[in-house]
Amino acid sequence: MAQHFSLAACDVVGFDLDHTLCRYNLPESAPLIYDSFAQFLVKEKGYDKELLTVTPEDWDFCCKGLALDLEDGNFIKLADNGTVLRASHGTRMLAPEELAKEYGGREWKYFMSDTGMAFRSGKYYFYDNYFDLPGALLCARVVDSLTKKNNGQKTFDFWKDIVAGIQHNYKMSAFRENCGIYFPEIKRDPGKYLHSCPESVKKWLRQLKNAGKILVLITSSHSDYCRLLCNHILGNDFADLFDIVITNALKPGFFSHLPSQRPFRTLENDVEQEALLSLEKPGWYSQGNAVHLYDLLKKMTGKPEPQVVYFGDSMHSDIFPARHYSNWETVLILEELKGDRDWKPEESEPLEKKGKYEGQKGKPLYSLSKKWGSFFTDSISGLENTEDSLVSTWSCKRISTYSTIAIPSIEAIAELPLDYKFTRFSSNNSKTAGYYPNPPLALSSFETLTNK
Protein backbone atom coordinates (compact mmCIF):
# COMPACT_ATOMS: atom_id res chain seq x y z
CA MET A 1 0.00 0.00 0.00
CA ALA A 2 1.19 3.51 -0.81
CA GLN A 3 2.68 5.48 2.05
CA HIS A 4 0.53 8.52 1.32
CA PHE A 5 -3.20 9.21 1.08
CA SER A 6 -4.82 11.99 -0.96
CA LEU A 7 -8.45 13.06 -1.36
CA ALA A 8 -7.68 13.80 -5.01
CA ALA A 9 -7.33 10.05 -5.61
CA CYS A 10 -10.81 9.32 -4.22
CA ASP A 11 -13.95 9.16 -6.39
CA VAL A 12 -16.41 9.22 -3.50
CA VAL A 13 -16.27 11.09 -0.17
CA GLY A 14 -18.63 9.83 2.52
CA PHE A 15 -19.46 11.40 5.86
CA ASP A 16 -21.00 10.47 9.15
CA LEU A 17 -23.09 13.32 10.58
CA ASP A 18 -23.10 13.47 14.39
CA HIS A 19 -19.71 14.53 15.82
CA THR A 20 -18.20 14.44 12.31
CA LEU A 21 -19.81 17.05 10.04
CA CYS A 22 -22.04 18.21 12.89
CA ARG A 23 -19.99 19.25 15.90
CA TYR A 24 -21.74 19.49 19.26
CA ASN A 25 -21.06 21.94 22.05
CA LEU A 26 -20.03 19.11 24.38
CA PRO A 27 -20.22 20.96 27.72
CA GLU A 28 -23.90 21.60 26.88
CA SER A 29 -24.88 18.41 25.03
CA ALA A 30 -23.31 15.94 27.50
CA PRO A 31 -25.41 17.04 30.52
CA LEU A 32 -28.53 16.97 28.32
CA ILE A 33 -27.85 13.36 27.26
CA TYR A 34 -27.06 12.39 30.86
CA ASP A 35 -30.30 13.99 32.08
CA SER A 36 -32.37 12.25 29.41
CA PHE A 37 -31.34 8.89 30.88
CA ALA A 38 -31.21 9.86 34.56
CA GLN A 39 -34.73 11.33 34.56
CA PHE A 40 -36.04 8.13 32.98
CA LEU A 41 -34.30 5.88 35.53
CA VAL A 42 -35.53 7.93 38.50
CA LYS A 43 -39.09 8.63 37.35
CA GLU A 44 -39.89 5.42 35.47
CA LYS A 45 -37.69 2.82 37.14
CA GLY A 46 -37.44 4.06 40.73
CA TYR A 47 -33.70 4.73 40.93
CA ASP A 48 -32.19 7.04 43.55
CA LYS A 49 -32.82 10.77 43.00
CA GLU A 50 -29.12 11.45 43.70
CA LEU A 51 -28.50 10.40 40.09
CA LEU A 52 -30.09 13.66 38.95
CA THR A 53 -27.38 15.83 40.54
CA VAL A 54 -24.07 16.05 38.67
CA THR A 55 -21.11 18.23 39.66
CA PRO A 56 -18.56 19.59 37.17
CA GLU A 57 -15.94 17.33 38.82
CA ASP A 58 -18.02 14.22 38.06
CA TRP A 59 -17.37 14.61 34.33
CA ASP A 60 -13.70 13.72 34.82
CA PHE A 61 -14.85 10.08 34.90
CA CYS A 62 -15.68 10.21 31.18
CA CYS A 63 -13.00 8.79 28.88
CA LYS A 64 -13.44 7.15 25.48
CA GLY A 65 -12.28 3.56 25.18
CA LEU A 66 -13.54 2.26 28.54
CA ALA A 67 -15.44 -1.01 28.75
CA LEU A 68 -18.17 -1.71 31.31
CA ASP A 69 -18.48 -5.28 32.58
CA LEU A 70 -22.27 -5.50 32.79
CA GLU A 71 -22.23 -8.18 35.45
CA ASP A 72 -19.77 -6.91 38.05
CA GLY A 73 -20.12 -3.15 37.46
CA ASN A 74 -16.42 -2.62 36.78
CA PHE A 75 -15.11 -0.19 34.17
CA ILE A 76 -11.77 -1.08 32.60
CA LYS A 77 -9.11 0.50 30.40
CA LEU A 78 -7.31 -2.01 28.18
CA ALA A 79 -3.71 -2.15 26.99
CA ASP A 80 -3.02 -3.12 23.38
CA ASN A 81 -2.30 -6.70 24.50
CA GLY A 82 -5.64 -7.06 26.31
CA THR A 83 -4.41 -6.63 29.87
CA VAL A 84 -6.17 -4.21 32.22
CA LEU A 85 -4.34 -0.93 32.83
CA ARG A 86 -6.84 0.74 35.15
CA ALA A 87 -10.24 -0.19 36.54
CA SER A 88 -13.00 1.20 38.69
CA HIS A 89 -15.99 -0.24 40.50
CA GLY A 90 -18.63 2.30 39.65
CA THR A 91 -16.78 5.60 39.99
CA ARG A 92 -14.36 4.28 42.64
CA MET A 93 -10.96 3.64 41.07
CA LEU A 94 -9.30 0.36 42.07
CA ALA A 95 -6.00 0.76 43.91
CA PRO A 96 -2.95 -1.01 42.38
CA GLU A 97 -3.27 -3.87 44.89
CA GLU A 98 -6.95 -4.37 44.04
CA LEU A 99 -6.19 -4.19 40.32
CA ALA A 100 -3.52 -6.86 40.67
CA LYS A 101 -5.83 -9.09 42.69
CA GLU A 102 -8.78 -8.69 40.31
CA TYR A 103 -6.98 -8.82 36.96
CA GLY A 104 -3.41 -9.90 37.75
CA GLY A 105 -1.75 -8.75 34.53
CA ARG A 106 -3.76 -11.33 32.57
CA GLU A 107 -5.76 -10.75 29.41
CA TRP A 108 -9.24 -9.48 30.24
CA LYS A 109 -11.65 -12.43 30.19
CA TYR A 110 -13.55 -11.14 27.15
CA PHE A 111 -10.54 -9.95 25.19
CA MET A 112 -9.99 -11.26 21.67
CA SER A 113 -7.33 -9.75 19.46
CA ASP A 114 -8.33 -7.49 16.58
CA THR A 115 -11.57 -8.34 14.80
CA GLY A 116 -12.55 -11.16 17.14
CA MET A 117 -13.83 -8.88 19.90
CA ALA A 118 -17.08 -7.03 19.33
CA PHE A 119 -17.70 -3.57 20.77
CA ARG A 120 -21.08 -4.68 22.08
CA SER A 121 -22.12 -7.93 23.72
CA GLY A 122 -24.47 -9.20 26.39
CA LYS A 123 -21.51 -9.21 28.78
CA TYR A 124 -19.85 -5.83 28.24
CA TYR A 125 -20.21 -2.43 26.55
CA PHE A 126 -17.45 -0.25 25.08
CA TYR A 127 -17.84 3.51 25.33
CA ASP A 128 -16.76 4.76 21.97
CA ASN A 129 -18.30 8.18 21.21
CA TYR A 130 -19.68 11.34 22.75
CA PHE A 131 -23.28 10.15 22.70
CA ASP A 132 -22.18 7.16 24.79
CA LEU A 133 -19.94 8.87 27.33
CA PRO A 134 -22.61 10.56 29.49
CA GLY A 135 -24.10 7.07 29.84
CA ALA A 136 -20.76 5.80 31.20
CA LEU A 137 -20.92 8.34 34.03
CA LEU A 138 -24.56 7.47 34.71
CA CYS A 139 -23.91 3.71 34.77
CA ALA A 140 -20.93 4.19 37.10
CA ARG A 141 -23.10 6.22 39.47
CA VAL A 142 -25.86 3.57 39.27
CA VAL A 143 -23.28 0.98 40.38
CA ASP A 144 -22.27 3.30 43.25
CA SER A 145 -25.88 3.74 44.28
CA LEU A 146 -26.80 0.04 44.15
CA THR A 147 -23.58 -0.99 45.93
CA LYS A 148 -24.35 1.43 48.77
CA LYS A 149 -28.06 0.60 48.93
CA ASN A 150 -27.62 -3.18 48.90
CA ASN A 151 -24.62 -3.54 51.23
CA GLY A 152 -21.90 -4.26 48.70
CA GLN A 153 -23.95 -5.78 45.89
CA LYS A 154 -21.66 -7.92 43.70
CA THR A 155 -23.67 -8.55 40.52
CA PHE A 156 -25.88 -6.15 38.60
CA ASP A 157 -28.88 -6.24 36.29
CA PHE A 158 -29.50 -2.56 35.53
CA TRP A 159 -28.54 -2.65 31.85
CA LYS A 160 -32.07 -3.54 30.74
CA ASP A 161 -33.23 -0.25 32.27
CA ILE A 162 -30.54 1.68 30.37
CA VAL A 163 -31.74 0.06 27.13
CA ALA A 164 -35.32 1.04 28.01
CA GLY A 165 -34.10 4.62 28.52
CA ILE A 166 -32.49 4.60 25.05
CA GLN A 167 -35.74 3.36 23.53
CA HIS A 168 -37.81 6.00 25.36
CA ASN A 169 -35.63 8.97 24.43
CA TYR A 170 -34.21 8.00 21.04
CA LYS A 171 -36.67 5.66 19.29
CA MET A 172 -37.46 6.44 15.66
CA SER A 173 -40.68 8.32 16.46
CA ALA A 174 -39.25 10.29 19.41
CA PHE A 175 -38.37 13.39 17.40
CA ARG A 176 -41.79 13.58 15.74
CA GLU A 177 -43.66 12.88 18.99
CA ASN A 178 -41.50 15.17 21.17
CA CYS A 179 -40.86 12.14 23.36
CA GLY A 180 -38.35 12.20 26.20
CA ILE A 181 -36.05 15.09 27.07
CA TYR A 182 -33.35 15.17 24.37
CA PHE A 183 -35.15 16.00 21.12
CA PRO A 184 -37.56 18.62 22.54
CA GLU A 185 -34.61 20.49 24.05
CA ILE A 186 -32.49 20.36 20.86
CA LYS A 187 -35.49 21.62 18.86
CA ARG A 188 -36.07 24.43 21.37
CA ASP A 189 -32.54 25.84 21.12
CA PRO A 190 -30.33 24.12 18.52
CA GLY A 191 -27.76 26.91 18.65
CA LYS A 192 -27.02 26.11 22.29
CA TYR A 193 -26.02 22.54 21.49
CA LEU A 194 -24.71 22.61 17.91
CA HIS A 195 -21.76 24.37 16.28
CA SER A 196 -22.43 25.72 12.80
CA CYS A 197 -20.08 24.39 10.14
CA PRO A 198 -17.22 26.87 9.65
CA GLU A 199 -17.22 28.64 6.29
CA SER A 200 -13.96 26.88 5.47
CA VAL A 201 -15.71 23.48 5.72
CA LYS A 202 -18.68 24.60 3.60
CA LYS A 203 -16.28 25.91 0.98
CA TRP A 204 -14.31 22.62 1.14
CA LEU A 205 -17.47 20.56 0.54
CA ARG A 206 -18.29 22.67 -2.52
CA GLN A 207 -14.68 22.31 -3.68
CA LEU A 208 -14.99 18.51 -3.49
CA LYS A 209 -18.25 18.66 -5.42
CA ASN A 210 -16.75 20.94 -8.08
CA ALA A 211 -13.81 18.54 -8.44
CA GLY A 212 -16.27 15.85 -9.52
CA LYS A 213 -16.36 13.90 -6.27
CA ILE A 214 -19.57 12.11 -5.31
CA LEU A 215 -20.58 13.22 -1.80
CA VAL A 216 -22.51 10.80 0.42
CA LEU A 217 -23.96 11.34 3.90
CA ILE A 218 -24.46 8.14 5.92
CA THR A 219 -25.93 8.66 9.38
CA SER A 220 -27.71 6.48 11.91
CA SER A 221 -29.79 9.50 12.91
CA HIS A 222 -33.35 9.48 11.58
CA SER A 223 -34.30 11.71 8.69
CA ASP A 224 -36.22 14.32 10.72
CA TYR A 225 -33.34 14.87 13.16
CA CYS A 226 -30.80 14.77 10.30
CA ARG A 227 -32.72 17.53 8.52
CA LEU A 228 -32.76 19.73 11.64
CA LEU A 229 -29.02 19.27 12.16
CA CYS A 230 -28.07 19.91 8.53
CA ASN A 231 -30.33 22.94 8.20
CA HIS A 232 -28.70 24.44 11.27
CA ILE A 233 -25.05 23.65 10.53
CA LEU A 234 -24.99 23.91 6.71
CA GLY A 235 -28.05 25.97 5.75
CA ASN A 236 -31.37 25.22 4.05
CA ASP A 237 -29.68 24.27 0.78
CA PHE A 238 -27.61 21.50 2.42
CA ALA A 239 -29.19 18.79 0.26
CA ASP A 240 -27.55 20.33 -2.82
CA LEU A 241 -24.14 19.37 -1.39
CA PHE A 242 -24.83 15.63 -1.26
CA ASP A 243 -25.57 13.24 -4.11
CA ILE A 244 -26.86 10.58 -1.72
CA VAL A 245 -28.22 10.95 1.83
CA ILE A 246 -28.76 7.79 3.90
CA THR A 247 -30.48 8.14 7.28
CA ASN A 248 -31.31 5.51 9.93
CA ALA A 249 -28.35 3.62 8.47
CA LEU A 250 -28.10 1.46 11.61
CA LYS A 251 -24.31 1.34 11.50
CA PRO A 252 -22.27 -0.84 11.85
CA GLY A 253 -24.89 -3.16 10.33
CA PHE A 254 -24.96 -0.96 7.22
CA PHE A 255 -21.48 -2.29 6.43
CA SER A 256 -21.65 -5.80 7.90
CA HIS A 257 -25.12 -7.00 6.86
CA LEU A 258 -26.08 -8.63 3.58
CA PRO A 259 -28.40 -6.68 1.25
CA SER A 260 -31.24 -9.11 2.00
CA GLN A 261 -30.87 -8.40 5.72
CA ARG A 262 -30.88 -4.62 5.41
CA PRO A 263 -32.50 -3.31 2.20
CA PHE A 264 -32.74 0.39 1.38
CA ARG A 265 -36.12 2.06 1.89
CA THR A 266 -37.60 5.19 0.39
CA LEU A 267 -39.00 7.93 2.63
CA GLU A 268 -42.24 9.89 2.52
CA ASN A 269 -42.65 12.70 5.06
CA ASP A 270 -39.87 11.08 7.09
CA VAL A 271 -41.75 7.76 7.25
CA GLU A 272 -40.04 4.69 5.80
CA GLN A 273 -41.76 3.11 2.80
CA GLU A 274 -41.27 -0.09 0.82
CA ALA A 275 -37.98 -2.00 0.68
CA LEU A 276 -35.92 -1.65 -2.53
CA LEU A 277 -34.37 -4.66 -4.23
CA SER A 278 -31.48 -2.47 -5.40
CA LEU A 279 -30.37 1.17 -5.40
CA GLU A 280 -30.88 2.64 -8.86
CA LYS A 281 -30.35 6.40 -8.53
CA PRO A 282 -29.03 9.12 -6.20
CA GLY A 283 -31.43 10.53 -3.61
CA TRP A 284 -32.48 10.38 0.05
CA TYR A 285 -32.93 6.89 1.53
CA SER A 286 -33.28 5.09 4.85
CA GLN A 287 -31.48 1.99 6.22
CA GLY A 288 -29.69 0.09 3.44
CA ASN A 289 -26.33 -1.60 3.02
CA ALA A 290 -22.87 -0.84 1.67
CA VAL A 291 -23.05 -3.50 -1.06
CA HIS A 292 -26.00 -1.90 -2.89
CA LEU A 293 -24.54 1.57 -2.32
CA TYR A 294 -21.24 0.50 -3.90
CA ASP A 295 -23.12 -0.97 -6.89
CA LEU A 296 -24.73 2.44 -7.44
CA LEU A 297 -21.37 4.20 -7.03
CA LYS A 298 -19.92 1.98 -9.79
CA LYS A 299 -22.69 3.15 -12.14
CA MET A 300 -22.32 6.80 -11.16
CA THR A 301 -18.54 6.85 -11.60
CA GLY A 302 -18.37 4.44 -14.53
CA LYS A 303 -15.56 2.64 -12.71
CA PRO A 304 -15.42 -1.04 -11.69
CA GLU A 305 -13.74 -0.18 -8.37
CA PRO A 306 -14.42 3.44 -7.35
CA GLN A 307 -12.20 4.67 -4.51
CA VAL A 308 -14.23 5.63 -1.42
CA VAL A 309 -13.11 7.48 1.69
CA TYR A 310 -15.37 7.72 4.74
CA PHE A 311 -15.10 10.27 7.56
CA GLY A 312 -16.46 9.27 10.97
CA ASP A 313 -15.93 9.65 14.71
CA SER A 314 -16.85 6.16 15.94
CA MET A 315 -14.46 3.24 15.66
CA HIS A 316 -17.38 0.88 16.33
CA SER A 317 -19.92 2.34 13.88
CA ASP A 318 -17.79 4.06 11.24
CA ILE A 319 -14.09 3.31 10.98
CA PHE A 320 -13.75 -0.38 11.78
CA PRO A 321 -16.72 -1.58 9.68
CA ALA A 322 -16.00 0.70 6.71
CA ARG A 323 -12.44 -0.62 6.56
CA HIS A 324 -13.04 -4.24 7.59
CA TYR A 325 -16.16 -5.02 5.55
CA SER A 326 -15.99 -2.52 2.67
CA ASN A 327 -12.22 -1.87 2.44
CA TRP A 328 -12.82 1.89 2.22
CA GLU A 329 -10.25 4.47 3.15
CA THR A 330 -11.19 5.89 6.57
CA VAL A 331 -10.59 9.24 8.25
CA LEU A 332 -11.16 9.17 12.01
CA ILE A 333 -12.39 12.41 13.60
CA LEU A 334 -10.65 12.33 16.97
CA GLU A 335 -11.20 15.34 19.20
CA GLU A 336 -8.83 13.78 21.74
CA LEU A 337 -6.06 15.07 19.46
CA LYS A 338 -6.92 18.47 20.90
CA GLY A 339 -6.53 16.88 24.32
CA ASP A 340 -5.87 19.47 26.94
CA ARG A 341 -3.95 21.75 24.56
CA ASP A 342 -6.66 24.30 23.99
CA TRP A 343 -9.05 24.00 26.93
CA LYS A 344 -9.03 26.39 29.86
CA PRO A 345 -11.66 26.45 32.61
CA GLU A 346 -14.22 29.22 32.12
CA GLU A 347 -14.71 31.76 34.84
CA SER A 348 -17.60 30.69 37.01
CA GLU A 349 -20.88 32.58 36.77
CA PRO A 350 -23.25 33.09 39.71
CA LEU A 351 -25.59 30.09 39.93
CA GLU A 352 -28.72 32.21 39.40
CA LYS A 353 -27.43 33.23 35.96
CA LYS A 354 -26.92 29.64 34.79
CA GLY A 355 -29.37 27.78 32.57
CA LYS A 356 -31.06 24.50 33.50
CA TYR A 357 -28.09 22.23 32.71
CA GLU A 358 -25.25 24.70 33.18
CA GLY A 359 -24.58 23.87 36.83
CA GLN A 360 -23.73 20.35 35.66
CA LYS A 361 -21.10 21.37 33.10
CA GLY A 362 -17.51 20.28 33.43
CA LYS A 363 -14.54 19.86 31.13
CA PRO A 364 -15.04 19.00 27.45
CA LEU A 365 -15.26 15.22 27.10
CA TYR A 366 -12.17 15.09 24.87
CA SER A 367 -9.85 16.61 27.49
CA LEU A 368 -7.57 14.47 29.65
CA SER A 369 -9.22 12.50 32.46
CA LYS A 370 -7.37 12.62 35.77
CA LYS A 371 -8.93 9.31 36.77
CA TRP A 372 -8.16 7.40 33.58
CA GLY A 373 -5.14 9.18 32.11
CA SER A 374 -4.37 9.36 28.42
CA PHE A 375 -6.67 7.83 25.81
CA PHE A 376 -3.54 6.79 23.86
CA THR A 377 -1.00 5.43 26.37
CA ASP A 378 -0.63 4.46 30.01
CA SER A 379 1.88 2.99 32.39
CA ILE A 380 1.75 -0.41 34.03
CA SER A 381 2.39 0.20 37.70
CA GLY A 382 4.79 -2.13 39.47
CA LEU A 383 3.69 -3.01 42.99
CA GLU A 384 7.07 -3.74 44.53
CA ASN A 385 9.16 -0.72 43.59
CA THR A 386 9.60 -1.94 40.02
CA GLU A 387 9.74 0.65 37.27
CA ASP A 388 6.57 1.62 35.46
CA SER A 389 6.48 0.59 31.83
CA LEU A 390 4.64 2.61 29.20
CA VAL A 391 2.26 0.88 26.77
CA SER A 392 -0.25 1.81 24.06
CA THR A 393 -3.92 1.39 24.81
CA TRP A 394 -6.19 -0.99 22.90
CA SER A 395 -8.05 2.04 21.53
CA CYS A 396 -4.80 3.53 20.22
CA LYS A 397 -3.87 0.28 18.50
CA ARG A 398 -7.23 0.12 16.72
CA ILE A 399 -6.80 3.67 15.43
CA SER A 400 -3.56 2.81 13.64
CA THR A 401 -4.97 -0.54 12.44
CA TYR A 402 -8.25 0.62 10.88
CA SER A 403 -7.85 4.35 10.15
CA THR A 404 -6.11 5.75 7.09
CA ILE A 405 -5.47 8.99 8.99
CA ALA A 406 -6.83 10.63 12.15
CA ILE A 407 -7.63 14.35 12.46
CA PRO A 408 -9.16 16.48 15.26
CA SER A 409 -11.85 17.92 12.98
CA ILE A 410 -12.70 18.39 9.31
CA GLU A 411 -11.85 22.05 9.79
CA ALA A 412 -8.22 21.00 10.41
CA ILE A 413 -7.84 19.93 6.75
CA ALA A 414 -10.42 22.14 5.01
CA GLU A 415 -7.93 24.69 3.71
CA LEU A 416 -5.43 22.15 2.35
CA PRO A 417 -5.35 21.47 -1.40
CA LEU A 418 -7.28 18.33 -2.36
CA ASP A 419 -4.07 16.73 -3.64
CA TYR A 420 -2.31 17.18 -0.28
CA LYS A 421 -0.45 13.97 0.55
CA PHE A 422 -1.14 12.74 4.09
CA THR A 423 1.15 10.15 5.63
CA ARG A 424 -1.10 7.17 6.31
CA PHE A 425 -1.04 4.78 9.25
CA SER A 426 1.05 1.76 8.36
CA SER A 427 2.92 -1.00 10.15
CA ASN A 428 6.00 0.30 8.29
CA ASN A 429 5.65 3.81 9.71
CA SER A 430 6.06 5.13 13.23
CA LYS A 431 3.13 4.97 15.68
CA THR A 432 2.59 8.70 15.24
CA ALA A 433 2.60 8.75 11.42
CA GLY A 434 -1.12 8.94 10.58
CA TYR A 435 -2.10 11.78 12.90
CA TYR A 436 -2.64 15.20 11.33
CA PRO A 437 -1.67 17.97 11.98
CA ASN A 438 0.16 16.70 15.09
CA PRO A 439 0.32 13.43 16.97
CA PRO A 440 -1.04 13.37 20.51
CA LEU A 441 1.50 14.56 23.08
CA ALA A 442 1.25 11.30 25.04
CA LEU A 443 2.07 9.24 21.97
CA SER A 444 5.01 11.46 20.99
CA SER A 445 6.45 11.03 24.48
CA PHE A 446 5.79 7.28 24.31
CA GLU A 447 7.66 6.96 21.00
CA THR A 448 10.59 9.01 22.33
CA LEU A 449 10.89 6.75 25.38
CA THR A 450 10.49 3.45 23.51
CA ASN A 451 13.09 4.49 20.92
CA LYS A 452 15.76 5.25 23.52
Side-chain angles (χ1 to χ4, degrees):
M1 186 176 285
Q3 185 178 358
H4 295 102
F5 161 75
S6 169
L7 286 168
C10 298
D11 305 297
V12 182
V13 186
F15 299 95
D16 171 49
L17 180 58
D18 296 282
H19 302 286
T20 299
L21 268 180
C22 178
R23 308 301 294 279
Y24 285 75
N25 181 9
L26 295 177
E28 297 287 1
S29 63
L32 176 62
I33 294 167
Y34 178 96
D35 201 50
S36 71
F37 288 113
Q39 293 278 2
F40 177 83
L41 291 185
V42 172
K43 292 178 179 178
E44 303 296 329
K45 299 295 181 180
Y47 282 75
D48 197 305
K49 289 181 180 177
E50 285 184 3
L51 294 175
L52 300 177
T53 306
V54 187
T55 68
E57 293 73 30
D58 289 333
W59 290 104
D60 182 63
F61 184 82
C62 292
C63 178
K64 267 197 213 166
L66 303 182
L68 166 60
D69 186 317
L70 299 177
E71 185 178 15
D72 65 20
N74 283 4
F75 285 80
I76 62 161
K77 178 183 182 183
L78 285 176
D80 56 7
N81 64 359
T83 55
V84 178
L85 291 165
R86 303 191 194 200
S88 72
H89 183 68
T91 64
R92 184 186 69 80
M93 301 303 293
L94 300 192
E97 295 81 3
E98 292 178 284
L99 190 70
K101 183 179 178 182
E102 184 76 25
Y103 298 105
R106 301 181 301 274
E107 271 191 7
W108 183 45
K109 58 187 174 183
Y110 300 121
F111 182 77
M112 295 172 70
S113 61
D114 292 328
T115 60
M117 186 165 67
F119 266 80
R120 310 284 189 261
S121 108
K123 302 289 188 182
Y124 59 85
Y125 188 94
F126 270 97
Y127 289 90
D128 162 67
N129 61 69
Y130 297 132
F131 269 145
D132 279 350
L133 279 184
L137 175 59
L138 179 63
C139 287
R141 298 185 75 213
V142 165
V143 171
D144 291 346
S145 174
L146 293 175
T147 301
K148 180 180 174 184
K149 179 181 176 182
N150 299 324
N151 298 317
Q153 181 174 337
K154 299 295 184 188
T155 58
F156 299 88
D157 190 29
F158 61 84
W159 190 249
K160 65 182 186 300
D161 296 330
I162 299 293
V163 172
I166 295 172
Q167 175 65 12
H168 174 71
N169 280 282
Y170 301 100
K171 63 187 176 184
M172 192 168 182
S173 61
F175 185 94
R176 185 173 66 250
E177 296 169 357
N178 271 333
C179 188
I181 287 172
Y182 181 82
F183 288 127
E185 179 64 15
I186 296 280
K187 283 193 214 178
R188 185 188 68 79
D189 190 1
K192 179 178 178 181
Y193 300 101
L194 309 173
H195 292 304
S196 291
C197 254
E199 283 303 317
S200 62
V201 173
K202 295 179 187 177
K203 182 179 177 184
W204 178 77
L205 291 170
R206 289 191 290 270
Q207 186 184 2
L208 287 167
K209 189 96 169 159
N210 293 338
K213 311 300 180 188
I214 293 171
L215 268 57
V216 184
L217 186 64
I218 309 174
T219 174
S220 291
S221 288
H222 300 306
S223 55
D224 43 16
Y225 185 51
C226 170
R227 189 173 287 104
L228 178 144
L229 296 181
C230 289
N231 277 333
H232 184 82
I233 67 167
L234 291 168
N236 295 337
D237 59 349
F238 76 89
D240 295 340
L241 289 170
F242 301 102
D243 298 276
I244 302 167
V245 176
I246 301 165
T247 56
N248 193 27
L250 302 169
K251 297 175 292 181
F254 179 86
F255 296 102
S256 62
H257 282 37
L258 296 170
S260 59
Q261 296 173 296
R262 190 68 60 76
F264 279 97
R265 294 179 180 275
T266 56
L267 284 161
E268 197 170 300
N269 297 321
D270 294 319
V271 177
E272 292 183 345
Q273 304 298 307
E274 76 281 357
L276 302 174
L277 295 177
S278 62
L279 202 58
E280 297 298 330
K281 60 183 180 180
W284 191 309
Y285 299 96
S286 192
Q287 297 197 40
N289 60 86
V291 173
H292 278 169
L293 172 62
Y294 197 63
D295 286 343
L296 175 59
L297 295 174
K298 289 177 188 176
K299 291 181 191 173
M300 292 175 69
T301 59
K303 295 183 177 182
E305 295 185 352
Q307 296 299 301
V308 184
V309 58
Y310 188 64
F311 288 71
D313 70 293
S314 169
M315 182 59 69
H316 165 64
S317 300
D318 300 317
I319 303 304
F320 168 73
R323 170 60 59 84
H324 180 68
Y325 297 106
S326 299
N327 200 31
W328 290 357
E329 301 279 16
T330 52
V331 178
L332 175 64
I333 305 297
L334 189 64
E335 291 197 44
E336 281 72 16
L337 286 175
K338 297 180 188 176
D340 49 0
R341 290 174 191 240
D342 62 355
W343 178 71
K344 295 181 177 63
E346 297 173 8
E347 287 189 19
S348 183
E349 287 185 271
L351 193 59
E352 60 270 17
K353 288 190 177 180
K354 294 177 183 285
K356 181 177 178 184
Y357 299 106
E358 290 188 34
Q360 304 176 15
K361 287 194 294 185
K363 67 181 183 65
L365 297 185
Y366 58 74
S367 60
L368 190 69
S369 165
K370 293 175 185 173
K371 282 181 181 281
W372 294 103
S374 169
F375 172 75
F376 301 96
T377 65
D378 212 339
S379 56
I380 302 171
S381 297
L383 291 177
E384 298 175 1
N385 299 321
T386 58
E387 289 185 6
D388 288 0
S389 58
L390 208 57
V391 296
S392 294
T393 61
W394 183 70
S395 298
C396 185
K397 181 181 179 182
R398 286 176 76 84
I399 291 169
S400 59
T401 304
Y402 298 110
S403 312
T404 303
I405 60 171
I407 59 178
S409 64
I410 291 176
E411 189 179 6
I413 66 167
E415 295 186 4
L416 296 174
L418 295 185
D419 60 359
Y420 182 89
K421 288 181 167 54
F422 296 93
T423 303
R424 63 168 69 238
F425 286 112
S426 162
S427 56
N428 299 326
N429 293 333
S430 75
K431 288 179 180 290
T432 59
Y435 295 100
Y436 180 90
N438 299 301
L441 293 171
L443 207 55
S444 299
S445 304
F446 171 71
E447 191 155 77
T448 301
L449 285 170
T450 52
N451 287 339
K452 280 185 177 179

